[in-house]
Amino acid sequence: MFFMTSSVDPSSFSPSRRSVLRAGAATAAVVGASTLVNGAIAKAEAEDVAPAAPEGHQVFQHGVASGDPMDTSVLLWTRATSHPGDIPGSEQGSEVKLRWEVAADEAFANIAASGEAAAVPGNDNTVKVDATGLQPDTWYNFRFTVTEGEYQGQTSPVGRTRTNPSTGVTPESLGIALTSCANWEAGYFSAYRDMSVNPEVDIIMCVGDYLYEYERGGYTGKSGAIRDHEPPHEIISLADYRRRYGHYRTDPDLQAAHQMKPWMVTWDDHEVANDSYNTGAENHDPETEGDYVARRDAAIQAYLEWLPVRAVPFSQGGKLYRTFNYGDLAEIVMLDLRTYRDQPMEFRNVGQIDDESRSMLGSEQLNYLHDKWKTSSSTWNLVGNSVMFTPVLIPPLDPETSGAVAELMGLPEEGIPYNLDQWDGFAAERRRLIQMMGDEGLDNIVFLTGDIHSSWACDIPVTAGRYPADGIAAVEIVGTSVNASNIDDIVKLPQRNGISQTAEQALMAANRHIKWIQFDHHGYCTVKVRPNEILAEWRFVEDKTIPNQPLYTAMNYRVVRGQGISPA
Ligand SMILES: [Fe+2]
């Protein structure tokens, strides 16, 4: 998704740091008492997660992570920093031999699985191991220990992870923290800390923009750059991408989220470059930045090194799209909407959005998804989806509101009725998918989406112009950004300003299948999947410019099979 940044003047960050802190404290004071209690508990629990670092070189300074849980296995991750000069991307590391252990008990008295692994410079000293032979539907502790050399005996922080229930079993619930769009420079990651301690979260699902590729100050909102990221320049090479991942993974909130819950990830565009597609990206200039595919492959390599994901490198035939089963309760297909998609249309060719030959998924992934839907017998079919599927008609608005919406959604300033980077730009393929849902008789598909830095609850209509008469094909739940800019950041006004609210009302009026939009706040969405309903709970943070902010529940919606989404 493209966000114009030219209108942001870093010098406009006029309030002093102190006054910003005061303002944040005042805001926090007016949120509900239950919120503060909830936040205080979360903060206290979070402090247990990350004890003060001991002195000396820390081999496990980037923490631990787990991901891609199956019913008897889960992927474990760490980085073993071999010596103080072994900075991510520096290629200065040396091999570190490790032992990994998984145990159901905190004392690691009863080891459920263990083995040896080596962190090697070829993988930027990151390690991924597949811990197999575990019990289904079970929470575990895991850790790594250095077994040789100067730092022998150093042990990682203890991570928490879990396996999925086996098929044939219908668990009572699955809690997913739906997250996307975390921009280091835009502020702090309180949302990650909240999901790390939220007892309702079993799995963290990141649907893209885990990081941003820009240079320092290249993408900020009304508060300017709250903190600087590394490296200072736009990331293009393998070393650059590794450096940025490594820097993000020094954030204590992000570390806590990885340490305490297993993740399921897919990427969007910013893991490579803005508005990427199969052969290029809006933010890639081959004249000055070299071959796009080489850049993309470097970005993918770093992604696969730094995230707990099972995919193998694309050069070896790897694919990021994949499927998980959470017992018989949910089948979850994680899609890759960037690697195979056709180049976006020129805005002047908007009439071609119905072109049958244009694809977001690529034919292989489309067939894969169709096969999954054909054979699924799960209660719910969930789709991890990086850009919005729901049709969104942008209505005529006053110039100021129109400008803000255009900037948020990456539309040309002169205005256009569709966001061509989303599924709206691939309308023929979307129709094909809606047709498949009907052909297979599926009334249990829910898209879990990010990208748009705002919160949406949508019915996906069979035919947008004839909703609800023609029926509801599926539902889409869109989580807001962890902290990347949305409308109040763009227009440089307080949250819940007139422009944001006017835009929300106008969009809902023009799109009756869109039940709720909130354009201002940051946070995430807890998606609670149960056999008879899915509850979506949007949790917001008051002020992203201050660390360790509590989150509060802002809105709840309920999905009932075949009946769409409505307020809960
Ligand atoms: Fe984003």
Side-chain angles (χ1 to χ4, degrees), residues 52-110:
E55 289 180 8
H57 173 65
Q58 295 301 303
V59 171
F60 299 104
Q61 58 191 261
H62 296 96
V64 295
S66 71
D68 279 12
M70 313 293 272
D71 61 343
T72 59
S73 63
V74 65
L75 208 67
L76 311 180
W77 178 98
T78 194
R79 182 179 198 266
T81 299
S82 51
H83 58 87
D86 178 13
I87 294 163
S90 68
E91 300 192 18
Q92 297 300 307
S94 52
E95 182 173 312
V96 180
K97 293 228 165 66
L98 302 169
R99 175 172 174 78
W100 58 270
E101 296 167 301
V102 179
D105 64 304
E106 284 180 22
F108 285 85
N110 297 303

Short mmCIF file of all heavy atoms in Angstrom, two decimals, residues 52-110:
data_model
loop_
_atom_site.label_atom_id
_atom_site.label_comp_id
_atom_site.label_asym_id
_atom_site.label_seq_id
_atom_site.Cartn_x
_atom_site.Cartn_y
_atom_site.Cartn_z
N ALA A 52 15.46 -7.87 33.85
CA ALA A 52 16.60 -7.02 33.51
C ALA A 52 17.73 -7.87 32.95
O ALA A 52 18.02 -8.96 33.45
CB ALA A 52 17.06 -6.27 34.76
N ALA A 53 18.37 -7.36 31.88
CA ALA A 53 19.43 -8.13 31.23
C ALA A 53 20.66 -8.20 32.12
O ALA A 53 21.06 -7.20 32.71
CB ALA A 53 19.78 -7.48 29.91
N PRO A 54 21.26 -9.39 32.24
CA PRO A 54 22.52 -9.47 32.99
C PRO A 54 23.64 -8.77 32.23
O PRO A 54 23.50 -8.47 31.05
CB PRO A 54 22.76 -10.97 33.09
CG PRO A 54 21.92 -11.59 32.03
CD PRO A 54 20.81 -10.64 31.72
N GLU A 55 24.74 -8.54 32.91
CA GLU A 55 25.85 -7.82 32.27
C GLU A 55 26.63 -8.75 31.35
O GLU A 55 26.54 -9.97 31.44
CB GLU A 55 26.77 -7.27 33.36
CG GLU A 55 26.12 -6.11 34.11
CD GLU A 55 27.04 -5.57 35.19
OE1 GLU A 55 28.21 -5.98 35.24
OE2 GLU A 55 26.56 -4.75 35.98
N GLY A 56 27.42 -8.13 30.47
CA GLY A 56 28.26 -8.92 29.56
C GLY A 56 27.56 -9.19 28.24
O GLY A 56 26.40 -8.83 28.04
N HIS A 57 28.30 -9.83 27.36
CA HIS A 57 27.74 -10.12 26.04
C HIS A 57 26.56 -11.09 26.14
O HIS A 57 26.67 -12.15 26.75
CB HIS A 57 28.83 -10.72 25.14
CG HIS A 57 28.27 -11.20 23.84
ND1 HIS A 57 27.73 -10.33 22.93
CD2 HIS A 57 28.14 -12.44 23.30
CE1 HIS A 57 27.28 -11.02 21.88
NE2 HIS A 57 27.53 -12.30 22.09
N GLN A 58 25.47 -10.75 25.51
CA GLN A 58 24.28 -11.58 25.54
C GLN A 58 24.11 -12.29 24.20
O GLN A 58 23.80 -11.66 23.18
CB GLN A 58 23.04 -10.72 25.82
CG GLN A 58 23.05 -10.09 27.20
CD GLN A 58 23.12 -11.14 28.30
OE1 GLN A 58 22.28 -12.02 28.38
NE2 GLN A 58 24.17 -11.07 29.12
N VAL A 59 24.32 -13.58 24.20
CA VAL A 59 24.18 -14.36 22.96
C VAL A 59 22.75 -14.28 22.44
O VAL A 59 22.52 -14.15 21.23
CB VAL A 59 24.57 -15.83 23.22
CG1 VAL A 59 24.23 -16.72 22.02
CG2 VAL A 59 26.06 -15.93 23.57
N PHE A 60 21.77 -14.30 23.34
CA PHE A 60 20.36 -14.37 22.92
C PHE A 60 19.69 -12.99 23.02
O PHE A 60 18.56 -12.88 23.47
CB PHE A 60 19.63 -15.42 23.75
CG PHE A 60 20.22 -16.80 23.58
CD1 PHE A 60 21.02 -17.36 24.57
CD2 PHE A 60 20.01 -17.51 22.41
CE1 PHE A 60 21.57 -18.62 24.42
CE2 PHE A 60 20.57 -18.78 22.24
CZ PHE A 60 21.36 -19.33 23.24
N GLN A 61 20.40 -11.96 22.60
CA GLN A 61 19.88 -10.60 22.75
C GLN A 61 18.67 -10.31 21.87
O GLN A 61 17.98 -9.30 22.07
CB GLN A 61 21.00 -9.59 22.46
CG GLN A 61 21.60 -9.73 21.09
CD GLN A 61 22.87 -8.90 20.91
OE1 GLN A 61 22.82 -7.83 20.34
NE2 GLN A 61 24.00 -9.38 21.43
N HIS A 62 18.39 -11.14 20.86
CA HIS A 62 17.20 -10.94 20.03
C HIS A 62 16.03 -11.81 20.47
O HIS A 62 15.02 -11.89 19.77
CB HIS A 62 17.53 -11.19 18.56
CG HIS A 62 18.53 -10.20 18.03
ND1 HIS A 62 19.89 -10.47 17.98
CD2 HIS A 62 18.39 -8.95 17.56
CE1 HIS A 62 20.52 -9.41 17.49
NE2 HIS A 62 19.64 -8.48 17.23
N GLY A 63 16.18 -12.46 21.63
CA GLY A 63 15.08 -13.23 22.19
C GLY A 63 14.85 -14.55 21.48
O GLY A 63 15.74 -15.08 20.79
N VAL A 64 13.66 -15.10 21.70
CA VAL A 64 13.28 -16.37 21.08
C VAL A 64 11.91 -16.19 20.43
O VAL A 64 11.20 -15.22 20.71
CB VAL A 64 13.22 -17.51 22.12
CG1 VAL A 64 14.59 -17.79 22.70
CG2 VAL A 64 12.21 -17.19 23.23
N ALA A 65 11.57 -17.13 19.57
CA ALA A 65 10.28 -17.05 18.88
C ALA A 65 9.84 -18.46 18.54
O ALA A 65 10.65 -19.40 18.52
CB ALA A 65 10.39 -16.21 17.62
N SER A 66 8.54 -18.59 18.25
CA SER A 66 8.04 -19.87 17.74
C SER A 66 6.95 -19.58 16.72
O SER A 66 6.40 -18.47 16.67
CB SER A 66 7.50 -20.74 18.87
OG SER A 66 6.29 -20.19 19.37
N GLY A 67 6.66 -20.58 15.88
CA GLY A 67 5.65 -20.32 14.86
C GLY A 67 5.26 -21.55 14.08
O GLY A 67 5.78 -22.64 14.29
N ASP A 68 4.32 -21.32 13.17
CA ASP A 68 3.76 -22.37 12.30
C ASP A 68 3.44 -23.64 13.08
O ASP A 68 3.90 -24.74 12.75
CB ASP A 68 4.74 -22.67 11.14
CG ASP A 68 4.62 -21.66 10.01
OD1 ASP A 68 3.97 -20.61 10.22
OD2 ASP A 68 5.17 -21.91 8.92
N PRO A 69 2.61 -23.52 14.12
CA PRO A 69 2.29 -24.71 14.92
C PRO A 69 1.46 -25.72 14.13
O PRO A 69 0.56 -25.35 13.39
CB PRO A 69 1.48 -24.14 16.09
CG PRO A 69 0.90 -22.86 15.58
CD PRO A 69 1.90 -22.32 14.60
N MET A 70 1.78 -26.99 14.30
CA MET A 70 0.98 -28.11 13.79
C MET A 70 0.47 -28.86 15.02
O MET A 70 0.67 -28.41 16.15
CB MET A 70 1.85 -29.01 12.91
CG MET A 70 2.70 -28.27 11.89
SD MET A 70 1.76 -27.43 10.60
CE MET A 70 1.65 -28.76 9.43
N ASP A 71 -0.13 -30.03 14.83
CA ASP A 71 -0.70 -30.69 16.02
C ASP A 71 0.36 -31.39 16.88
O ASP A 71 0.18 -31.52 18.09
CB ASP A 71 -1.85 -31.64 15.66
CG ASP A 71 -1.42 -32.76 14.74
OD1 ASP A 71 -0.33 -32.65 14.12
OD2 ASP A 71 -2.17 -33.74 14.62
N THR A 72 1.47 -31.81 16.28
CA THR A 72 2.51 -32.45 17.10
C THR A 72 3.88 -31.78 16.93
O THR A 72 4.90 -32.35 17.33
CB THR A 72 2.65 -33.96 16.76
OG1 THR A 72 2.99 -34.08 15.38
CG2 THR A 72 1.36 -34.70 17.05
N SER A 73 3.91 -30.62 16.31
CA SER A 73 5.21 -29.95 16.14
C SER A 73 5.03 -28.44 16.09
O SER A 73 3.93 -27.94 15.81
CB SER A 73 5.88 -30.43 14.84
OG SER A 73 5.10 -30.09 13.72
N VAL A 74 6.11 -27.77 16.35
CA VAL A 74 6.11 -26.30 16.25
C VAL A 74 7.54 -25.86 15.95
O VAL A 74 8.51 -26.52 16.36
CB VAL A 74 5.54 -25.65 17.54
CG1 VAL A 74 6.42 -25.94 18.74
CG2 VAL A 74 5.35 -24.15 17.38
N LEU A 75 7.66 -24.76 15.22
CA LEU A 75 8.98 -24.27 14.84
C LEU A 75 9.52 -23.34 15.93
O LEU A 75 8.80 -22.45 16.39
CB LEU A 75 8.83 -23.48 13.53
CG LEU A 75 10.01 -23.42 12.60
CD1 LEU A 75 10.30 -24.80 12.02
CD2 LEU A 75 9.68 -22.46 11.45
N LEU A 76 10.77 -23.56 16.34
CA LEU A 76 11.40 -22.70 17.35
C LEU A 76 12.49 -21.87 16.68
O LEU A 76 13.16 -22.34 15.76
CB LEU A 76 12.04 -23.56 18.45
CG LEU A 76 11.16 -24.65 19.06
CD1 LEU A 76 11.95 -25.41 20.14
CD2 LEU A 76 9.88 -24.06 19.65
N TRP A 77 12.68 -20.66 17.18
CA TRP A 77 13.62 -19.72 16.54
C TRP A 77 14.47 -19.02 17.60
O TRP A 77 13.98 -18.71 18.69
CB TRP A 77 12.83 -18.67 15.74
CG TRP A 77 13.69 -17.63 15.08
CD1 TRP A 77 14.09 -17.62 13.78
CD2 TRP A 77 14.25 -16.44 15.66
NE1 TRP A 77 14.86 -16.50 13.51
CE2 TRP A 77 14.98 -15.77 14.66
CE3 TRP A 77 14.22 -15.88 16.95
CZ2 TRP A 77 15.66 -14.57 14.89
CZ3 TRP A 77 14.91 -14.69 17.18
CH2 TRP A 77 15.63 -14.05 16.15
N THR A 78 15.70 -18.75 17.24
CA THR A 78 16.49 -17.77 17.99
C THR A 78 17.61 -17.24 17.10
O THR A 78 17.81 -17.73 15.97
CB THR A 78 17.08 -18.34 19.30
OG1 THR A 78 17.54 -17.26 20.14
CG2 THR A 78 18.24 -19.30 19.03
N ARG A 79 18.31 -16.23 17.57
CA ARG A 79 19.57 -15.82 16.94
C ARG A 79 20.65 -15.92 18.00
O ARG A 79 20.47 -15.39 19.12
CB ARG A 79 19.52 -14.40 16.40
CG ARG A 79 20.84 -14.02 15.71
CD ARG A 79 20.82 -12.61 15.14
NE ARG A 79 21.88 -12.42 14.14
CZ ARG A 79 23.09 -11.92 14.42
NH1 ARG A 79 23.42 -11.57 15.65
NH2 ARG A 79 23.99 -11.79 13.44
N ALA A 80 21.74 -16.57 17.66
CA ALA A 80 22.87 -16.66 18.59
C ALA A 80 23.93 -15.67 18.13
O ALA A 80 24.62 -15.90 17.13
CB ALA A 80 23.42 -18.08 18.61
N THR A 81 24.02 -14.55 18.82
CA THR A 81 25.00 -13.52 18.47
C THR A 81 26.35 -13.99 19.02
O THR A 81 26.56 -14.03 20.23
CB THR A 81 24.56 -12.16 19.06
OG1 THR A 81 23.29 -11.83 18.49
CG2 THR A 81 25.56 -11.08 18.75
N SER A 82 27.25 -14.33 18.11
CA SER A 82 28.45 -15.09 18.50
C SER A 82 29.46 -14.24 19.27
O SER A 82 30.23 -14.77 20.06
CB SER A 82 29.11 -15.69 17.26
OG SER A 82 29.29 -14.71 16.26
N HIS A 83 29.47 -12.94 19.03
CA HIS A 83 30.36 -12.03 19.77
C HIS A 83 29.82 -10.61 19.57
O HIS A 83 28.95 -10.39 18.71
CB HIS A 83 31.81 -12.15 19.26
CG HIS A 83 31.95 -11.87 17.80
ND1 HIS A 83 32.12 -10.61 17.30
CD2 HIS A 83 31.88 -12.70 16.72
CE1 HIS A 83 32.19 -10.66 15.99
NE2 HIS A 83 32.04 -11.92 15.61
N PRO A 84 30.29 -9.62 20.32
CA PRO A 84 29.67 -8.29 20.25
C PRO A 84 29.68 -7.66 18.85
O PRO A 84 28.80 -6.87 18.52
CB PRO A 84 30.52 -7.46 21.24
CG PRO A 84 31.02 -8.48 22.22
CD PRO A 84 31.27 -9.73 21.43
N GLY A 85 30.63 -8.03 18.02
CA GLY A 85 30.67 -7.44 16.67
C GLY A 85 29.78 -8.14 15.66
O GLY A 85 29.69 -7.72 14.50
N ASP A 86 29.12 -9.18 16.08
CA ASP A 86 28.26 -9.97 15.20
C ASP A 86 26.89 -9.30 15.08
O ASP A 86 25.88 -9.80 15.54
CB ASP A 86 28.16 -11.39 15.76
CG ASP A 86 27.24 -12.29 14.96
OD1 ASP A 86 26.87 -11.90 13.83
OD2 ASP A 86 26.90 -13.37 15.46
N ILE A 87 26.89 -8.14 14.43
CA ILE A 87 25.65 -7.37 14.26
C ILE A 87 24.89 -7.97 13.08
O ILE A 87 25.49 -8.34 12.07
CB ILE A 87 26.00 -5.88 14.00
CG1 ILE A 87 26.63 -5.29 15.24
CG2 ILE A 87 24.77 -5.07 13.59
CD1 ILE A 87 27.38 -4.00 14.99
N PRO A 88 23.55 -8.10 13.18
CA PRO A 88 22.81 -8.65 12.06
C PRO A 88 23.17 -7.95 10.74
O PRO A 88 23.24 -6.72 10.67
CB PRO A 88 21.35 -8.37 12.45
CG PRO A 88 21.37 -8.41 13.94
CD PRO A 88 22.70 -7.81 14.33
N GLY A 89 23.41 -8.75 9.73
CA GLY A 89 23.75 -8.22 8.41
C GLY A 89 25.23 -7.94 8.22
O GLY A 89 25.68 -7.67 7.11
N SER A 90 26.02 -8.03 9.30
CA SER A 90 27.45 -7.68 9.18
C SER A 90 28.28 -8.82 8.60
O SER A 90 29.40 -8.62 8.16
CB SER A 90 28.01 -7.31 10.56
OG SER A 90 28.06 -8.47 11.40
N GLU A 91 27.75 -10.03 8.62
CA GLU A 91 28.47 -11.24 8.21
C GLU A 91 29.78 -11.40 8.98
O GLU A 91 30.77 -11.92 8.47
CB GLU A 91 28.70 -11.23 6.69
CG GLU A 91 27.38 -11.19 5.94
CD GLU A 91 27.48 -11.47 4.45
OE1 GLU A 91 28.50 -12.02 4.02
OE2 GLU A 91 26.53 -11.13 3.75
N GLN A 92 29.78 -10.94 10.22
CA GLN A 92 30.95 -11.07 11.08
C GLN A 92 30.78 -12.20 12.10
O GLN A 92 31.62 -12.38 12.97
CB GLN A 92 31.19 -9.76 11.84
CG GLN A 92 31.51 -8.57 10.95
CD GLN A 92 32.77 -8.80 10.14
OE1 GLN A 92 33.82 -9.13 10.69
NE2 GLN A 92 32.67 -8.65 8.81
N GLY A 93 29.70 -12.96 11.99
CA GLY A 93 29.42 -13.99 12.99
C GLY A 93 30.28 -15.22 12.80
O GLY A 93 30.95 -15.40 11.79
N SER A 94 30.26 -16.08 13.81
CA SER A 94 30.89 -17.39 13.71
C SER A 94 29.89 -18.41 14.25
O SER A 94 28.92 -18.06 14.93
CB SER A 94 32.19 -17.42 14.50
OG SER A 94 31.98 -16.98 15.82
N GLU A 95 30.16 -19.68 13.95
CA GLU A 95 29.20 -20.72 14.31
C GLU A 95 29.04 -20.82 15.83
O GLU A 95 30.01 -20.73 16.57
CB GLU A 95 29.67 -22.07 13.75
CG GLU A 95 28.68 -23.19 14.04
CD GLU A 95 29.06 -24.48 13.34
OE1 GLU A 95 29.35 -24.43 12.12
OE2 GLU A 95 29.07 -25.53 14.01
N VAL A 96 27.80 -21.01 16.27
CA VAL A 96 27.51 -21.22 17.69
C VAL A 96 26.71 -22.52 17.82
O VAL A 96 25.65 -22.66 17.20
CB VAL A 96 26.70 -20.05 18.29
CG1 VAL A 96 26.42 -20.30 19.77
CG2 VAL A 96 27.42 -18.72 18.10
N LYS A 97 27.23 -23.44 18.61
CA LYS A 97 26.52 -24.72 18.80
C LYS A 97 25.52 -24.57 19.96
O LYS A 97 25.84 -24.01 21.02
CB LYS A 97 27.53 -25.83 19.11
CG LYS A 97 28.43 -26.12 17.91
CD LYS A 97 28.51 -27.61 17.67
CE LYS A 97 29.08 -27.95 16.30
NZ LYS A 97 30.49 -27.58 16.12
N LEU A 98 24.33 -25.10 19.73
CA LEU A 98 23.23 -24.91 20.68
C LEU A 98 22.54 -26.23 20.99
O LEU A 98 22.55 -27.15 20.18
CB LEU A 98 22.16 -23.97 20.08
CG LEU A 98 22.61 -22.57 19.66
CD1 LEU A 98 21.50 -21.89 18.85
CD2 LEU A 98 22.94 -21.73 20.88
N ARG A 99 21.91 -26.25 22.16
CA ARG A 99 20.97 -27.31 22.47
C ARG A 99 19.61 -26.64 22.67
O ARG A 99 19.52 -25.56 23.25
CB ARG A 99 21.41 -28.01 23.77
CG ARG A 99 20.41 -29.07 24.26
CD ARG A 99 20.99 -29.87 25.44
NE ARG A 99 19.97 -30.76 25.98
CZ ARG A 99 19.62 -31.92 25.42
NH1 ARG A 99 20.20 -32.30 24.29
NH2 ARG A 99 18.69 -32.69 25.97
N TRP A 100 18.57 -27.25 22.15
CA TRP A 100 17.22 -26.73 22.37
C TRP A 100 16.39 -27.73 23.14
O TRP A 100 16.61 -28.95 23.01
CB TRP A 100 16.55 -26.35 21.04
CG TRP A 100 16.42 -27.48 20.06
CD1 TRP A 100 17.32 -27.83 19.10
CD2 TRP A 100 15.33 -28.41 19.95
NE1 TRP A 100 16.87 -28.92 18.40
CE2 TRP A 100 15.64 -29.31 18.90
CE3 TRP A 100 14.13 -28.58 20.64
CZ2 TRP A 100 14.79 -30.34 18.52
CZ3 TRP A 100 13.27 -29.61 20.27
CH2 TRP A 100 13.61 -30.48 19.21
N GLU A 101 15.49 -27.24 23.96
CA GLU A 101 14.66 -28.12 24.80
C GLU A 101 13.24 -27.59 24.85
O GLU A 101 13.02 -26.37 24.91
CB GLU A 101 15.21 -28.14 26.23
CG GLU A 101 16.59 -28.75 26.36
CD GLU A 101 17.20 -28.46 27.71
OE1 GLU A 101 17.34 -27.27 28.06
OE2 GLU A 101 17.51 -29.42 28.42
N VAL A 102 12.30 -28.52 24.85
CA VAL A 102 10.88 -28.20 25.00
C VAL A 102 10.36 -29.00 26.18
O VAL A 102 10.64 -30.20 26.30
CB VAL A 102 10.08 -28.59 23.73
CG1 VAL A 102 8.60 -28.26 23.91
CG2 VAL A 102 10.65 -27.90 22.51
N ALA A 103 9.62 -28.34 27.08
CA ALA A 103 9.08 -29.03 28.26
C ALA A 103 7.73 -28.45 28.61
O ALA A 103 7.48 -27.25 28.42
CB ALA A 103 10.03 -28.88 29.44
N ALA A 104 6.85 -29.30 29.14
CA ALA A 104 5.55 -28.80 29.57
C ALA A 104 5.68 -28.07 30.91
O ALA A 104 4.88 -27.20 31.24
CB ALA A 104 4.56 -29.95 29.69
N ASP A 105 6.72 -28.40 31.70
CA ASP A 105 6.86 -27.78 33.02
C ASP A 105 7.90 -26.66 32.99
O ASP A 105 8.81 -26.66 32.16
CB ASP A 105 7.27 -28.84 34.06
CG ASP A 105 8.63 -29.43 33.73
OD1 ASP A 105 8.81 -29.94 32.60
OD2 ASP A 105 9.53 -29.35 34.59
N GLU A 106 7.74 -25.73 33.90
CA GLU A 106 8.61 -24.54 33.92
C GLU A 106 10.04 -24.88 34.31
O GLU A 106 10.98 -24.17 33.95
CB GLU A 106 8.05 -23.50 34.89
CG GLU A 106 6.86 -22.78 34.31
CD GLU A 106 6.31 -21.74 35.27
OE1 GLU A 106 7.05 -21.30 36.17
OE2 GLU A 106 5.13 -21.39 35.12
N ALA A 107 10.24 -25.94 35.08
CA ALA A 107 11.58 -26.31 35.54
C ALA A 107 12.35 -27.13 34.50
O ALA A 107 13.51 -27.48 34.72
CB ALA A 107 11.47 -27.10 36.83
N PHE A 108 11.72 -27.45 33.40
CA PHE A 108 12.32 -28.30 32.37
C PHE A 108 12.76 -29.65 32.95
O PHE A 108 13.78 -30.21 32.56
CB PHE A 108 13.51 -27.59 31.69
CG PHE A 108 13.06 -26.51 30.72
CD1 PHE A 108 12.77 -25.22 31.18
CD2 PHE A 108 12.92 -26.78 29.37
CE1 PHE A 108 12.34 -24.23 30.30
CE2 PHE A 108 12.48 -25.80 28.49
CZ PHE A 108 12.19 -24.52 28.95
N ALA A 109 11.97 -30.14 33.91
CA ALA A 109 12.29 -31.44 34.51
C ALA A 109 11.90 -32.58 33.58
O ALA A 109 12.56 -33.61 33.54
CB ALA A 109 11.56 -31.58 35.86
N ASN A 110 10.82 -32.40 32.86
CA ASN A 110 10.34 -33.44 31.94
C ASN A 110 10.45 -32.92 30.51
O ASN A 110 9.56 -32.21 30.04
CB ASN A 110 8.90 -33.82 32.27
CG ASN A 110 8.80 -34.41 33.66
OD1 ASN A 110 9.48 -35.39 33.97
ND2 ASN A 110 8.01 -33.76 34.51
#
